[in-house]
Amino acid sequence: MEKPRQSFWGLWNISFGFFGIQIGFALQNSNMSRVFQTLGASMDDLPALWVAAPLTGLIVQPIIGHLSDKTWNRLGRRRPYFLTGAIFSALALLVMPLSPEMGAPLFFAAAMLWVLDASLNISMEPFRAFVGDMLRTDQHSAGYAVQTAFIGAGAVVGSIFPFLLEQLGVSNVAPGGGLPDTVRWSFWAGAAALFIAVMWTVLFTKEYSPEEQAAFSEGQATDSGQPVRLLADKTLFSAGVWIVLGAIVVALVNALGLEKEVYLLGGLLVLYGVISIIAINLAKQGKTTNMLSSIVGDFSGMPEVMKRLALVQFFSWSALFIMWINTTPVVTQYVYGSTDTTSAAYNEGANWVNVLFTVYNGVAAIAALALLPVLSRRFGQVMTHSICLMLGAAGFLMFFVVRDAQMLLVAEIGIGIAWASILAMPYAILASNLPQQKLGIYMGLFNIFIVVPQLLVATVMGSIMQAFFPGEPIWTMLFAALAWVVAAAAMLRVKAALPSIKAEASHA
């Protein structure tokens, strides 16, 4: 038995909620450095303040993936999480602009970033699995391409809000450390748009029941439960290694004078080691159905194709996080010549960053529907992704050498094409090569390789920049370019892990 083929409007309804979610992410990505700096944060403080985003994703997504795989109620399997995340995301966007009026404005803004990012992740993670749930295998590439188009379109809307409001006469400068009205109204409008878009998918899609999914999965890859059973055979040595590594990282902070954010990285390594010890002991006692054992077991026993894609994701998202943190400081300092957050030049540069982000997201929306399918048919999914990452690396190199605001628009074209491929190709490959009944947990675990590089950037990059390039954020763009070159090379290893080249071609 095969799933019904979805029409264009079926594909639209399945992913339209992601349009709203990405408005929230775009407002966060393009404005939070500006918000933090306006509220008194220095350049050196930004990585620590931004650490909320990857850390909440690291915690939330595997848990939500595991839970959504096992959920079924009158709202369905994934839709309860869409709705819950949308409600809390909208509330965080509504409250964020009130930060300057709070007793500890910078602390309040950072706290709201945690709430916002956690809520966005609650909605976002099930959307990745939702495409695999609802579509037959030969529509996976199309489904993730449509989702990517909505991501790009939502990011365009979220990124361009402040610039458009300024053109309409809304004040773009706020005296006394307050947020400009362009930023405040952008967050409020984004809250409404996010909630409406997610509700569209909740109301206009109907999920397949567990019985229907079981019928569709006959003859396909299924979960044997082997990863969790193998967990019981593990010794505690590997878990101990994580704890030792974490302790070494913590010790090196003082020994080498590293930034204090590196403590977080060491703490996470220790925490994973402790969690692994607990999970292994539970598995040895025959308690394999609990969430902790399931997550740790599936992580340690993930399929080979997922392991190879994980390396690609690691370097891909390292570059993206560098871009989100540093584009505003780079453009305002090197192109507009100002680091004074109260100056007209700084705020003009910050608004131009919104335009640049709008361009790369707009390019991504177009490339997802017009370019990726053509490249995928011609070269296959693996080579297409590698090509797109190299185009993105060229874009980052332009940021490193170009000092003209208009020319940076050209750089964003390459970055936008790479962004489209990052959002589509790895997920299409995974959805076609993983057991359907565990798509949620595997998509959630795959997010770890998006989050860990962001944590490394947030913790280690500050120490590197302080030691070698103090006050010169332009060098981060060279790091970003090199990261995408490495990701493009790592992608070439993925083909060997696919069931067959023929299988890949059939999903292109």
Side-chain angles (χ1 to χ4, degrees):
M1 185 177 178
E2 197 169 24
K3 295 175 186 174
R5 189 172 183 84
Q6 293 283 346
S7 66
F8 169 79
W9 288 111
L11 296 175
W12 174 289
N13 291 339
I14 287 168
S15 290
F16 187 69
F18 226 130
F19 172 72
I21 293 170
Q22 199 59 35
I23 288 176
F25 274 118
L27 286 168
Q28 169 185 299
N29 292 338
S30 58
N31 289 286
M32 286 312 299
S33 286
R34 177 183 189 177
V35 169
F36 289 145
Q37 285 185 296
T38 300
L39 296 178
S42 69
M43 261 299 300
D44 294 336
D45 292 329
L46 290 183
L49 291 167
W50 267 94
V51 80
L55 187 58
T56 52
L58 180 65
I59 297 168
V60 169
Q61 289 219 21
I63 294 173
I64 296 299
H66 173 82
L67 293 175
S68 69
D69 278 342
K70 299 180 179 302
T71 294
W72 183 256
N73 57 37
R74 64 181 185 177
L75 265 182
R77 188 184 193 189
R78 316 291 183 187
R79 290 181 299 165
Y81 300 93
F82 300 164
L83 180 59
T84 301
I87 291 171
F88 285 100
S89 297
L91 289 174
L93 287 170
L94 288 172
V95 175
M96 182 77 77
L98 305 180
S99 298
E101 284 78 48
M102 299 298 165
L106 189 57
F107 175 81
F108 184 83
M112 284 301 99
L113 177 59
W114 279 77
V115 174
L116 175 60
D117 204 84
S119 303
L120 289 171
N121 274 287
I122 289 171
S123 282
M124 183 185 75
E125 197 285 331
F127 262 104
R128 293 296 191 191
F130 193 51
V131 173
D133 289 347
M134 300 297 292
L135 301 181
R136 46 198 277 174
T137 302
D138 61 2
Q139 281 196 294
H140 283 163
S141 289
Y144 285 106
V146 171
Q147 190 174 89
T148 299
F150 276 127
I151 292 171
V156 166
V157 173
S159 298
I160 202 66
F161 263 143
F163 179 81
L164 289 180
L165 289 173
E166 183 185 15
Q167 305 311 304
L168 294 173
V170 178
S171 174
N172 189 46
V173 179
L179 297 179
D181 285 344
T182 51
V183 175
R184 293 162 65 93
W185 283 103
S186 293
F187 274 76
W188 292 333
L194 184 154
F195 186 74
I196 292 169
V198 173
M199 283 302 297
W200 180 283
T201 292
V202 171
L203 294 173
F204 292 103
T205 57
K206 180 181 181 297
E207 297 188 68
Y208 297 118
S209 69
E211 293 75 21
E212 289 173 312
Q213 292 286 11
F216 294 143
S217 298
E218 287 182 6
Q220 299 179 8
T222 58
D223 172 51
S224 62
Q226 186 180 24
V228 179
R229 288 197 296 272
L230 290 176
L231 192 63
D233 298 329
K234 287 183 175 292
T235 67
L236 299 182
F237 176 77
S238 59
V241 170
W242 289 107
I243 295 174
V244 171
L245 285 175
I248 291 172
V249 170
V250 170
L252 288 176
V253 174
N254 286 328
L256 300 180
L258 303 177
E259 296 295 302
K260 61 184 180 299
E261 292 83 13
V262 181
Y263 280 123
L264 176 62
L265 180 61
L268 286 172
L269 292 172
V270 171
L271 178 61
Y272 180 71
V274 172
I275 289 173
S276 296
I277 289 174
I278 296 171
I280 290 170
N281 282 327
L282 288 172
K284 287 181 181 298
Q285 298 169 25
K287 300 174 182 177
T288 58
T289 58
N290 62 86
M291 180 168 65
L292 187 62
S293 294
S294 295
I295 292 175
V296 173
D298 286 329
F299 179 72
S300 61
M302 69 180 70
E304 183 64 26
V305 64
M306 189 170 164
K307 291 179 182 177
R308 298 194 181 199
L309 280 170
L311 184 63
V312 178
Q313 290 292 86
F314 179 90
F315 287 102
S316 298
W317 285 84
S318 295
L320 288 167
F321 202 60
I322 288 171
M323 176 182 74
W324 290 330
I325 293 178
N326 293 288
T327 300
T328 294
V330 166
V331 171
T332 54
Q333 180 174 336
Y334 294 90
V335 180
Y336 285 82
S338 178
T339 57
D340 179 5
T341 61
T342 64
S343 69
Y346 176 91
N347 282 284
E348 183 182 357
N351 261 15
W352 188 247
V353 171
N354 282 305
V355 175
L356 294 175
F357 281 20
T358 299
V359 169
Y360 92 74
N361 282 297
V363 169
I366 296 169
L369 297 178
L371 180 62
L372 293 186
V374 175
L375 291 177
S376 187
R377 284 193 296 269
R378 176 67 178 84
F379 300 107
Q381 292 171 332
V382 170
M383 186 57 69
T384 292
H385 194 39
S386 188
I387 292 169
C388 292
L389 288 168
M390 289 301 296
L391 291 174
F396 281 129
L397 281 177
M398 286 190 66
F399 269 87
F400 187 67
V401 299
V402 170
R403 297 294 178 268
D404 178 79
Q406 299 294 327
M407 281 299 294
L408 291 180
L409 294 171
V410 178
E412 295 295 349
I413 295 174
I415 292 171
I417 293 172
W419 177 229
S421 190
I422 288 168
L423 294 173
M425 289 301 162
Y427 295 99
I429 293 170
L430 278 182
S432 299
N433 291 281
L434 295 176
Q436 195 282 327
Q437 67 268 42
K438 300 204 74 172
L439 277 182
I441 181 59
Y442 278 131
M443 290 295 185
L445 290 172
F446 195 53
N447 184 65
I448 290 173
F449 305 104
I450 295 173
V451 170
V452 169
Q454 294 181 56
L455 286 172
L456 284 172
V457 170
T459 55
V460 177
M461 182 62 72
S463 295
I464 294 173
M465 295 302 297
Q466 193 64 26
F468 299 103
F469 311 106
E472 296 291 338
I474 189 67
W475 289 93
T476 61
M477 294 299 165
L478 183 59
F479 283 113
L482 293 174
W484 271 1
V485 170
V486 173
M491 190 65 197
L492 300 178
R493 297 179 61 252
V494 173
K495 182 177 288 187
L498 296 173
S500 69
I501 295 176
K502 180 180 179 180
E504 180 191 355
S506 71
H507 305 327

